[in-house]
Amino acid sequence: MADNDFPGWHGTTIIGVRKGGKVVIAGDGQVSLGQTVIKGTARKVRRISPGGYDVVAGFAGSTADAFTLLERLETKLEATPGQLQRASVELAKDWRTDKYLQKLEAMLIVSDGKDLYVITGAGDVLEPEHDVTAIGSGGNYALAAGRALMNGDLDAEAIARRAMAIAADICVYTNGNLTVETISA
C-alpha cells in the first residue's frame, strides 16, 4: 500500500475538566485503522509520579509518539519537581526545536490537580479558558458538550463522563470504554 493510500489511524478522544478543586482527565479506548476498529480497550490516560508529585496525562495521536512524549515529560518533571508549567514549557520547546521530536504526531493533556494544560508539537502550552479542554478525533464534540455542562450541578467527573458519552454518540472514532483519572490540588 502506497503511503498516500494508507487510511490513517484514528480513534482517541481525551477530555480534561477542572471543577470544584479537582481535575478529571478521561479518555476512550478506541483505536481505528481507516473504517475498522483495531482495538476498543486502549488505555490513553495515565498517572505518573516523577519526583513524588502526581501528574495525570492523556494522549491522542500515535501511541509510540505519545509514549515518547510522556517519557520526556517525566524527565522534565524529575528535573523540576512539582513545576508542571515549567516542565510543560520545556517539553514544548524541545518538541518544537528537536528534529527527531518534530516528527512526533501526538498531543497531550496534563494536570497536577491545580494546572491543566494541552501540549502540542507546534510549541504550544495551552490552558483552557473555560476549565474544559479536549483533544483527538472526537475532541471538538467532547469539548462542546463539556462546556455546555459546566454551569450545572455536575462535578468534574460527571461532566467528563457525560461529555465523552455525547462524543461517542457522534464520533465514529470514539467509544464508551473510558479510562478516568481524578487528581486534586
Side-chain angles (χ1 to χ4, degrees):
M1 184 179 285
D3 283 343
N4 57 353
D5 293 334
F6 185 77
W9 293 95
H10 292 283
T12 298
T13 301
I14 305 292
I15 189 168
V17 178
R18 179 176 42 209
K19 186 174 182 183
K22 294 182 180 175
V23 176
V24 172
I25 297 180
D28 77 316
Q30 184 165 311
V31 178
S32 304
L33 177 59
Q35 298 174 348
T36 304
V37 175
I38 300 297
K39 184 173 183 174
T41 59
R43 191 169 162 258
K44 300 173 241 172
V45 177
R46 304 249 192 274
R47 183 177 297 267
I48 57 177
S49 298
Y53 294 90
D54 281 350
V55 171
V56 174
F59 60 85
S62 166
T63 304
D65 292 356
F67 281 132
T68 299
L69 293 169
L70 285 175
E71 288 173 7
R72 295 282 182 127
L73 179 62
E74 267 190 286
T75 301
K76 299 292 183 189
L77 285 165
E78 287 169 356
T80 59
Q83 298 181 49
L84 180 60
Q85 181 178 25
R86 183 173 176 188
S88 297
V89 169
E90 290 299 318
L91 174 63
K93 282 197 285 189
D94 287 355
W95 194 354
R96 182 79 172 128
T97 59
D98 183 283
K99 291 200 182 291
Y100 167 73
L101 293 178
Q102 285 177 355
K103 294 178 177 22
L104 299 183
E105 296 180 3
M107 292 177 75
L108 301 173
I109 294 178
V110 297
S111 180
D112 58 3
K114 180 181 63 143
D115 296 315
L116 176 64
Y117 300 114
V118 174
I119 308 171
T120 75
D124 300 314
V125 177
L126 306 168
E127 186 169 15
E129 289 182 335
H130 304 285
D131 291 327
V132 180
T133 191
I135 57 175
S137 300
N140 286 335
Y141 307 116
L143 177 63
R147 285 190 53 191
L149 295 167
M150 282 297 284
N151 291 330
D153 294 333
L154 299 176
D155 66 5
E157 183 173 342
I159 292 169
R161 287 183 180 278
R162 290 211 37 208
M164 290 295 291
I166 291 167
D169 283 347
I170 298 170
C171 178
V172 296
Y173 299 114
T174 303
N175 71 16
N177 185 2
L178 300 182
T179 301
V180 179
E181 288 283 347
T182 302
I183 189 166
S184 299

